[in-house]
Amino acid sequence: VEHPGGRGEPLPEDYKVDQCPNGRRCGNFKCKYFHKPSEQRCKNWPSCDESNCSAIHVHVTQIRLTLIINAADDISCYGPDDIETGICYSKAIIRSFEGISVPAIIKALRHCRFLKTLVVPELDFEVGQFYIKEIINTLDFVPGLHVIYRDQDVEMVRDLAALASVPSRVPAPTHESDSDGERPPPPDFTC
């Protein structure tokens, strides 16, 4: 299955400009439409002069960067600090993936609105599918992500049934005892 802009093909000029008729229930990996307001690209950009325009101002040719995360290294387990930087990433490679690193990976990918491909070269599908599904569901990637494992190349969709049964994401309370004693838990960690 080819994505718009996936595997070397360029994104169409109208990528994520119009709303998908299926909305957040879309399961089409070829879909070029936006599924939620946080994905909408401005159709008038770069000539948009509306000060209250809430759409994302980025040209499709800018959505082509690859984010490399080394989950075993606290220093390199960071992603973009803001949406303006994050919207340029279409692919992420996660090295040294471990289940314990999922919260840090979620935090690193939170601003990557147009992420389509996730590469986890040291992770087998049988073990990794549960962790990657958690990342997809938590970050609400619609319809999901193209995931390249060590042993398989798959399209992983969001779990719509699981999302429907979860009331909403709320900040997790943290206590002094939650820390390992060397560093406090992230201030904006949610579950």
Side-chain angles (χ1 to χ4, degrees):
V1 176
E2 290 291 322
H3 300 288
R7 303 180 190 166
E9 77 181 66
L11 291 169
E13 284 294 320
D14 60 349
Y15 181 69
K16 302 280 187 183
V17 170
D18 297 311
Q19 186 166 12
C20 176
N22 296 319
R24 295 167 51 83
R25 297 224 174 265
C26 180
N28 179 2
F29 276 86
K30 290 183 177 182
C31 187
K32 68 176 184 175
Y33 303 109
F34 74 87
H35 303 95
K36 52 190 178 180
S38 63
E39 293 180 335
Q40 183 181 7
R41 284 184 51 248
C42 179
K43 60 178 80 181
N44 298 321
W45 195 85
S47 60
C48 179
D49 58 358
E50 293 181 40
S51 60
N52 61 346
C53 180
S54 61
I56 297 171
H57 292 100
V58 65
H59 193 271
V60 291
T61 58
Q62 293 175 289
I63 306 171
R64 58 180 171 73
L65 297 179
T66 298
L67 177 64
I68 299 175
I69 299 170
N70 182 351
D73 182 4
D74 287 342
I75 294 172
S76 67
C77 195
Y78 291 104
D81 290 331
D82 53 40
I83 293 169
E84 290 75 28
T85 308
I87 58 177
C88 296
Y89 290 95
S90 62
K91 181 178 184 179
I93 300 171
I94 303 173
R95 302 252 182 230
S96 305
F97 188 99
E98 293 182 11
I100 197 164
S101 60
V102 168
I105 292 167
I106 288 170
K107 187 173 180 181
L109 297 176
R110 73 187 183 279
H111 294 303
C112 300
R113 304 277 171 89
F114 300 125
L115 194 69
K116 289 292 175 196
T117 304
L118 185 64
V119 181
V120 283
E122 293 120 358
L123 194 59
D124 290 329
F125 174 77
E126 191 63 36
V127 174
Q129 66 179 320
F130 304 104
Y131 297 118
I132 301 304
K133 184 67 83 169
E134 180 180 350
I135 292 169
I136 291 170
N137 288 337
T138 301
L139 292 175
D140 198 23
F141 287 114
V142 181
L145 291 174
H146 170 227
V147 184
I148 302 171
Y149 293 93
R150 174 182 12 207
D151 60 342
Q152 287 189 46
D153 187 333
V154 298
E155 305 287 350
M156 293 188 69
V157 297
R158 290 181 320 139
D159 184 355
L160 295 173
L163 290 173
S165 66
V166 176
S168 66
R169 306 239 187 276
V170 295
T174 57
H175 306 283
E176 215 42 55
S177 61
D178 291 342
S179 175
D180 62 8
E182 294 182 24
R183 58 186 168 184
D188 60 341
F189 179 73
T190 59
C191 62

